[in-house]
Amino acid sequence: MNRPGRWIKANLFGSPVNTVLTVLALALLWQTVPPFLDWALFSASWGGGSPESCRQAGGACWTLLAERHRLMLFGLYPYDQHWRPLLAMALFVALLAASSHRRCWRPWLALAWGALIVVASLLMWGGVAGLVPVETAQWGGLPLTLVIAVLAIVVAFPFSILLALGRRSELPVIKAVSVGYIELVRGLPLVSLLFMASVMFPLFLPEGVTIEKALRALVGMTLFTAAYLAEAVRGGLQAIPKGQFEAADALGLSYWQTMRLIILPQALRLVIPPIVGQFITCFKDTSLVTIVGLYDLLAATKAALNDPAWRPFFVEGYLAAALVYFCFCFFMSRYSQWLEREVAKGTR
Amino acid sequence: MGGLAGLWGSRRFRGLVYQALVIGGVIAVGGWLVRNTLTNLELRGIATGFGFLGREAGFDISESLIPYTPADTYARALLVGLLNTLLISALGIVFATLIGTAVGVMRLSGNWLMARLCGVYVEAVRNVPLLLQLFVWYGLVTTLPGARQALNPLPGVFLSNRGLVIPGLDWSGGGWPVLDLPRLAGFNFTGGLTLSPEFAALLAGLTVYTAAFIAEIVRAGILSVPKGQVEAARALGLSKGQTLRLVVLPQALRVIVPPLTSQYLNVTKNSPLAIAIGYPDLVAVSNTAINQTGQAVESVALVMGVFLCISLGLSALMNWYNKRVALVSK
Amino acid sequence: MSTPIIEIKDVNKWYGEFHVLKDVCLEVAKGEKVVVCGPSGSGKSTMIRCINRLEEHQSGRIAVDGIELGDDVKAVEAVRRRVGMVFQSFNLFPHLTVLENLTLAPVKVAGVAPREAESTAMALLERVRIPEQAGKFPGQLSGGQQQRVAIARALCLKPAVMLFDEPTSALDPEMVGEVLDVMSGLAAEGMTMICVTHEMGFARAVADTMVFMDEGRIVEVAPPAQFFQSPANERTRRFLGKIIGH
Ligand SMILES: Nc1ncnc2c1ncn2[C@@H]1O[C@H](COP(=O)(O)OP(=O)(O)OP(=O)(O)O)[C@@H](O)[C@H]1O
Ligand SMILES: [Mg+2]
């Protein structure tokens, strides 16, 4: 038998069970792929300009995206100012791409991220350099999703390291506070934490002080993410052999020097996969701010589908939003796999 | 060396100072928050305390496992919500485990095509937010045909925009239950069990989403069993299926159980997304209560307490199970 | 004999209920080489780890260069500056290169300028005969090379005393020699050393004083000639019979 023939026999028809599975899989594909292709490509409407054209075409309504993508991507941000969040996102993606090159891992990268956060915020906020001010209440769509995700991660990460160190501390009070915080937050659903942030923060603050909805949600996301990240970091701390602490002690390094120079660099390397996993979760979880009334990508997509004429084509709209989420998450998980290999190369 | 500087040199003393600072900080922040909250509540004329639990709720709840009317108390309304949360979580856990295990095993089956298909499913589902998936499920369920044109995939099972109707058991005769098949009567079904569209969408969403994660856990667990174990079992003449059932799975379970526990907890913690599609779970009910009474602090505390109990209970159960598995396999 | 650089007096230590060190007394003079041996679990590691306070003792007095070890952080810092330690399992920092391993403490703890620390480090690497490995990571070196780097790292702070806790027992036999050579060289230069080791050839050649421990006590202290020829204690004799007999 020739090679492809042998491969097919081994991998698809090796045993009766195997054959049954193959037949099932083929049947499933036969049932779903042709109708899907027909729907998505052949009978789709690609830009008739109105819901009516979609109804006539009978297939997928890509016209929806052509007509409503700006609302889905930018939410309520003033229409003529869309270039600003677009530019901010472009900068973000460019820096993300730069960060994935080992050559760029220099101190300036951290500075660049700091600068990006400032520049992007100024771009979005406006009020400087002749830009029209735009309140955060008007921010929406993908930029809002990215802002919340990135800020939540950036703020939660150092906080989580402190929590993880606290949890491993010899001082009982510090340990108890850290454990209490971590376990409390991890026992709660994010939704109820976000609700708490949105209904209770206003009560927590002194009279007359208000904080914006977006900031409240951001605080909620950050507190939540930090607890989970702390557990990931703790996993790494636990994996560091005792000898490393002893050697650092014997050399006379202080606690913080030991942590900063010896333990954390090793521990964080070990837990890249769970940390990135947590980043991915955080990114997906930003969609929950929809529930407390923010216009992130998901909520903006939902709003774009609110028009009764477009509503029948919700699958197309959500599919597009799903694709955006998928791209970011998939990129991050692939990146973490690559990073793990790359980092391992250096030391072993 | 001054007295204080000398003291500061002592490691124990430093430890005490750091701890005192942390306690002080926690108390200061906590006290500040409580004071602000009390002032704010007073300013807004909101009552405090759990007294509201005994008052009449005055709102209806669309589905309930126990008899409930708007004339019942807030406490009962919250209980209805809690039972709904428990129901959806329990069912979600069962179905997600079944599907997830099947998919995880199939990803490792020698069948190339099936392994690929399962891989696509896992990647696609894991990388898209659950809430988005719920919106799609809910959209799909509500755009199903009406009761008269209901889909009838299996005998006795009807799928329509009224939800999912399945055969139920009728215990009313006393003694053995009788199978109660649903029938179309006018514009709706009678008999059988009806799952509302919201319930069906939430269950589908939670199940499909969690199953993808469980599949990965099962896969990793099975892969963690050394190859030598499989070879030894095959050498003893066990069949492929027997090897999986008698040798691989019991060992894999030790690796599987801890992350599986956290997935089970995730199902419970994800169930409040119900609020986005209108299924009356605990969080949804408590939100209505907050809107009506303004007593956010108490309601939020109540909900948090309940979820903490569920978390602790479930992890205690799993720890116990885990210990048993670990002991047996030693 | 001048004032001892290390002074251990009536030291007791417990791990919970377990009494590891029982009334341990030992004095080490400047330039003295002490070799500690004894059966496994007798408390050798625990004793030398008390000297730089990797372990806390519960009673008695330990002083290095006149600085008594206790709860005082400054004293501990000062002692750790004066005492270098080499571990059985090397404990090099795997994420730093050999050179970075060596310069870390001088730069971060002693505040030496990086340039200067580097030249000192290179000189030390010459001394342990692996200057060509400076840019590598510990994981890329053999066990013997790693242990020599560890010795160089401990020397970087110019310690007055070196502690060795079974530095060769994690090594393949063919690498033991190269590490012992470095240690002998160090001894010849007049370094004060306390070595826990079962390399009796090395002990005979280098030691000024042999210490035998059993069940948390120092059972015998003697110069090597007397220690090996006519040990006073029955337990020492049995122990020597066992390890030299093989
Ligand atoms: N952290 C600890 N907690 C409890 N007991 C310990 C601890 N460290 C050591 N011990 C016990 O103290 C005793 C002395 O240990 P130590 O490491 O000092 O022995 P040792 O003489 O160095 O032995 P070896 O030759 O095996 O290295 C041993 O019985 C050991 O089990
Ligand atoms: Mg030892």
Side-chain angles (χ1 to χ4, degrees), chain B residues 115-138:
Chain B
R116 283 301 135 104
L117 278 179
C118 291
V120 169
Y121 157 71
V122 168
E123 288 296 339
V125 166
R126 282 201 317 167
N127 288 318
V128 173
L130 173 58
L131 188 58
L132 194 159
Q133 297 184 34
L134 280 181
F135 284 157
V136 174
W137 283 111
Y138 189 52

Side-chain angles (χ1 to χ4, degrees), chain B residues 6 9-14, chain C residues 53 56 71-74 77:
Chain B
S10 155
R11 215 165 63 93
R12 295 231 164 89
F13 181 73
R14 275 193 204 184
Chain C
R53 210 168 170 82
E56 291 179 19
D71 193 34
D72 186 24
V73 183
K74 285 273 175 300
E77 278 170 15

Side-chain angles (χ1 to χ4, degrees), chain A residues 173-328:
Chain A
V173 168
I174 293 181
K175 183 170 177 160
V177 169
S178 309
V179 172
Y181 176 84
I182 292 173
E183 293 306 330
L184 181 75
V185 171
R186 291 195 335 139
L188 295 175
L190 175 56
V191 178
S192 60
L193 207 66
L194 286 175
F195 271 128
M196 191 194 89
S198 72
V199 299
M200 277 169 66
F201 280 7
L203 292 179
F204 284 162
L205 293 175
E207 200 199 327
V209 181
T210 55
I211 55 172
E212 283 158 87
K213 223 195 290 184
L215 193 56
R216 279 181 256 164
L218 179 59
V219 173
M221 284 294 299
T222 307
L223 294 178
F224 184 76
T225 304
Y228 283 85
L229 273 180
E231 281 303 273
V233 173
R234 181 170 74 116
L237 291 178
Q238 269 168 340
I240 304 298
K242 239 176 96 206
Q244 294 289 312
F245 292 88
E246 292 177 353
D249 274 351
L251 287 174
L253 296 176
S254 71
Y255 175 83
W256 290 110
Q257 282 176 325
T258 307
M259 289 306 159
R260 191 164 50 84
L261 300 168
I262 310 296
I263 306 303
L264 284 176
Q266 296 183 58
L268 293 183
R269 251 167 235 213
L270 286 176
V271 289
I272 289 173
I275 286 181
V276 177
Q278 210 48 61
F279 285 1
I280 293 176
T281 308
C282 176
F283 184 75
K284 285 189 295 175
D285 280 348
T286 53
S287 62
L288 264 59
V289 302
T290 303
I291 296 181
V292 290
L294 288 177
Y295 273 91
D296 73 319
L297 176 58
L298 181 56
T301 305
K302 199 163 178 257
L305 295 166
N306 245 353
D307 184 342
W310 290 112
R311 201 173 297 156
F313 308 107
F314 68 96
V315 172
E316 290 85 336
Y318 287 130
L319 210 55
L323 201 63
V324 175
Y325 281 107
F326 180 86
C327 288
F328 276 97

Side-chain angles (χ1 to χ4, degrees), chain A residues 103-171:
Chain A
R103 256 175 304 145
C104 303
W105 291 356
R106 297 281 145 73
W108 62 259
L109 196 63
L111 288 181
W113 275 101
L116 174 85
I117 288 176
V118 174
V119 170
S121 318
L122 286 181
L123 254 178
M124 301 270 296
W125 246 310
V128 289
L131 293 174
V132 192
V134 180
E135 284 172 41
T136 53
Q138 286 176 291
W139 294 15
L142 186 55
L144 183 66
T145 294
L146 289 176
V147 163
I148 294 183
V150 170
L151 284 183
I153 289 169
V154 166
V155 181
F157 193 51
F159 184 36
S160 73
I161 289 180
L162 288 181
L163 281 172
L165 291 178
R167 192 166 188 169
R168 308 245 315 150
S169 167
E170 289 166 5
L171 304 175

Side-chain angles (χ1 to χ4, degrees), chain B residues 89-291:
Chain B
S89 307
L91 288 179
I93 286 173
V94 171
F95 288 127
T97 309
L98 294 178
I99 298 178
T101 311
V103 172
V105 169
M106 272 198 291
R107 275 196 88 177
L108 293 173
S109 72
N111 191 299
W112 180 86
L113 195 58
M114 213 42 155
R116 283 301 135 104
L117 278 179
C118 291
V120 169
Y121 157 71
V122 168
E123 288 296 339
V125 166
R126 282 201 317 167
N127 288 318
V128 173
L130 173 58
L131 188 58
L132 194 159
Q133 297 184 34
L134 280 181
F135 284 157
V136 174
W137 283 111
Y138 189 52
L140 289 176
V141 172
T142 46
T143 49
L144 282 171
R148 300 187 138 231
Q149 292 85 38
L151 304 176
N152 192 355
L154 295 170
V157 177
F158 296 93
L159 200 54
S160 70
N161 61 4
R162 299 301 179 94
L164 180 66
V165 188
I166 54 172
L169 293 177
D170 187 2
W171 297 83
S172 57
W176 288 104
V178 215
L179 199 63
D180 179 19
L181 285 175
R183 289 171 317 275
L184 189 63
F187 289 102
N188 214 337
F189 293 92
T190 58
L193 274 177
T194 304
L195 309 180
S196 72
E198 291 78 18
F199 184 89
L202 185 60
L203 186 59
L206 280 176
T207 303
V208 167
Y209 185 73
T210 314
F213 288 87
I214 292 183
E216 282 301 276
I217 292 171
V218 169
R219 188 169 85 111
I222 294 178
L223 284 177
S224 75
V225 178
K227 249 209 170 107
Q229 291 288 319
V230 177
E231 285 162 5
R234 298 307 299 269
L236 287 172
L238 297 184
S239 75
K240 236 182 172 170
Q242 282 174 321
T243 307
L244 187 67
R245 200 155 39 80
L246 300 173
V247 178
V248 177
L249 275 184
Q251 296 191 54
L253 269 185
R254 264 185 306 169
V255 179
I256 290 175
V257 168
L260 195 60
T261 314
S262 61
Q263 281 310 319
Y264 286 177
L265 285 175
N266 279 349
V267 174
T268 327
K269 288 186 280 178
N270 282 333
S271 68
L273 292 185
I275 199 169
I277 55 173
Y279 175 70
D281 81 319
L282 178 63
V283 174
V285 173
S286 85
N287 255 39
T288 315
I290 291 177
N291 286 340

